[in-house]
Amino acid sequence: MKYWFDIEFHDDGDHVALISIGVVAEDGRQYYAASADYDRGLADRWLQDHVLPLLDGVPLKTREALREELLAFFQVGGMPSAFWADVGEYDWVVLRQLFGPITTWPDGWPHLCMDVEQWRQTLGAPASPFPMTSLVPHDALQDAIAMRERWRWLCTQPSRVPPC
């Protein structure tokens, strides 16, 4: 089962903290939650303007609850076959850290994250029209839904990269 995920996070240059996470499963299931552990008082102006206002009504979960709920979510329908993010280096680290040190990552789960933007560039696909931008940018669930749609579009694109 493939999963597309997006994480909104706080990065102060030394630490990266989860603010919210949205996940869409290949079978259409969705998961969306915000971290109850994130100190909103640390948010810079950009996060205050673009991310925090979108969290009204989003369930707040502790780190432990996020981990347990995501573990259950990812186990439906068998072992995850791929995790997809969009320019997701930080997203991947934050997701991995929810499960503790690298040695506690669940057995059999992929150890790398696939990247939609990297795949687009590898195919030589055009940047525009790259379909389905998020209806609500920086809403982690809306971003994950849009990413899955861009992934589907890329599946239809021929490679424009000349063979090596």
Side-chain angles (χ1 to χ4, degrees):
M1 175 93 43
K2 294 177 190 70
Y3 294 93
W4 294 266
F5 73 99
D6 184 67
I7 293 178
E8 298 302 324
F9 55 84
H10 176 114
D11 172 24
D12 66 10
D14 289 318
H15 301 91
V16 181
L18 179 129
I19 297 174
S20 62
I21 181 170
V23 185
V24 179
E26 189 172 8
D27 63 6
R29 290 175 299 114
Q30 298 177 355
Y31 180 86
Y32 189 31
S35 174
D37 302 324
Y38 176 64
D39 180 353
R40 293 180 181 210
L42 299 175
D44 61 22
R45 174 58 50 201
W46 190 91
L47 290 171
Q48 290 173 22
D49 291 346
H50 297 96
V51 175
L52 298 184
L54 303 175
L55 299 179
D56 291 341
V58 177
L60 292 174
K61 306 287 181 164
T62 65
R63 181 180 182 86
E64 294 77 23
L66 285 166
R67 179 177 41 250
E68 293 306 313
E69 290 179 5
L70 285 167
L71 185 62
F73 184 82
F74 291 142
Q75 289 179 333
V76 173
M79 194 74 66
S81 61
F83 292 102
W84 284 86
D86 191 10
V87 189
E89 296 85 0
Y90 281 80
D91 303 68
W92 184 237
V93 168
V94 173
L95 178 65
R96 294 286 303 254
Q97 286 180 339
L98 273 175
F99 292 89
I102 197 166
T103 56
T104 60
W105 187 243
D107 288 337
W109 286 19
H111 283 271
L112 65 94
C113 182
M114 306 302 289
D115 192 287
V116 171
E117 175 58 17
Q118 188 174 40
W119 185 30
R120 183 194 66 76
Q121 290 184 25
T122 300
L123 287 173
S128 181
F130 203 29
M132 188 61 181
T133 58
S134 181
L135 299 175
V136 184
H138 311 298
D139 174 303
L141 181 58
Q142 292 302 314
D143 288 348
I145 292 167
M147 182 190 333
R148 179 193 58 194
E149 294 310 307
R150 291 191 304 271
W151 179 90
R152 286 177 174 166
W153 180 77
L154 285 170
C155 287
T156 70
Q157 298 302 299
S159 176
R160 294 172 178 86
V161 177
C164 296

